[in-house]
Amino acid sequence: GAKLNTMWNRRQTTKFNGASYVIQRGAAAIYTPEGAAQVDETIDFYRANARTIKEGLAAAGLEVYGADNSPYVWCRTPNGTGSWDFFNRLLEEANVITTPGAGFGPAGEGYIRLTAFGDAGDTQEAVERIKRMLDAESRD
């Protein structure tokens, strides 16, 4: 009995301890010219979204950081607004979800983080909504 258990355990751990063969082959495919082109295309897509966010919010007068070599854009909250307060305003008034900087620790307070991991049209729409919200606020 113990010998069969030992052999069965060896078989199971050999077959299932780690990435499956299909997954390994998929991962290796990125090293082909076609795989490299697809990876570059995907990265370019997210870089374009990051640029849309960064340039749009900067044009709206916000102080923005990141987005150059990262899919994340950090934005200083206007007029010293708390990160959770600005998060809530963006959610309620612009219907845009961001991440409050306070969630990243004390140094994140006073910032929100936006992500480029989204649809290009949705990203553009979110930036336009934020700009409209800030524009309406500046007219009040």
Side-chain angles (χ1 to χ4, degrees):
K3 189 170 184 182
L4 180 59
N5 183 46
T6 302
M7 289 189 311
W8 178 257
N9 186 52
R10 175 70 179 156
R11 174 196 177 275
Q12 291 297 96
T13 56
T14 299
K15 282 190 157 300
F16 300 109
N17 187 20
S20 69
Y21 183 68
V22 168
I23 297 298
Q24 291 176 43
R25 294 294 294 178
I30 69 164
Y31 296 107
T32 65
E34 181 184 5
Q38 289 174 357
V39 168
D40 288 343
E41 184 181 332
T42 300
I43 291 171
D44 288 344
F45 176 86
Y46 293 127
R47 280 187 178 136
N49 275 353
R51 208 168 27 257
T52 295
I53 296 167
K54 186 173 186 174
E55 291 172 0
L57 296 185
L62 294 173
E63 201 176 313
V64 291
Y65 304 91
D68 298 320
N69 295 301
S70 167
Y72 299 109
V73 182
W74 288 87
C75 174
R76 185 182 298 275
T77 59
N79 307 316
T81 305
S83 62
W84 275 104
D85 290 336
F86 195 54
F87 164 85
N88 284 325
R89 284 199 49 226
L90 289 170
L91 181 61
E92 293 168 11
E93 297 174 33
N95 294 310
V96 173
I97 297 175
T98 60
T99 303
F104 296 93
E109 180 52 60
Y111 294 88
I112 56 162
R113 191 188 77 173
L114 299 97
T115 178
F117 290 127
D119 175 81
D122 291 346
T123 298
Q124 184 64 49
E125 174 67 23
V127 169
E128 293 304 319
R129 288 179 185 182
I130 293 170
K131 288 164 83 173
R132 282 195 300 270
M133 183 192 90
L134 293 171
D135 187 46
E137 175 185 281
S138 69
R139 286 194 306 256
D140 291 344

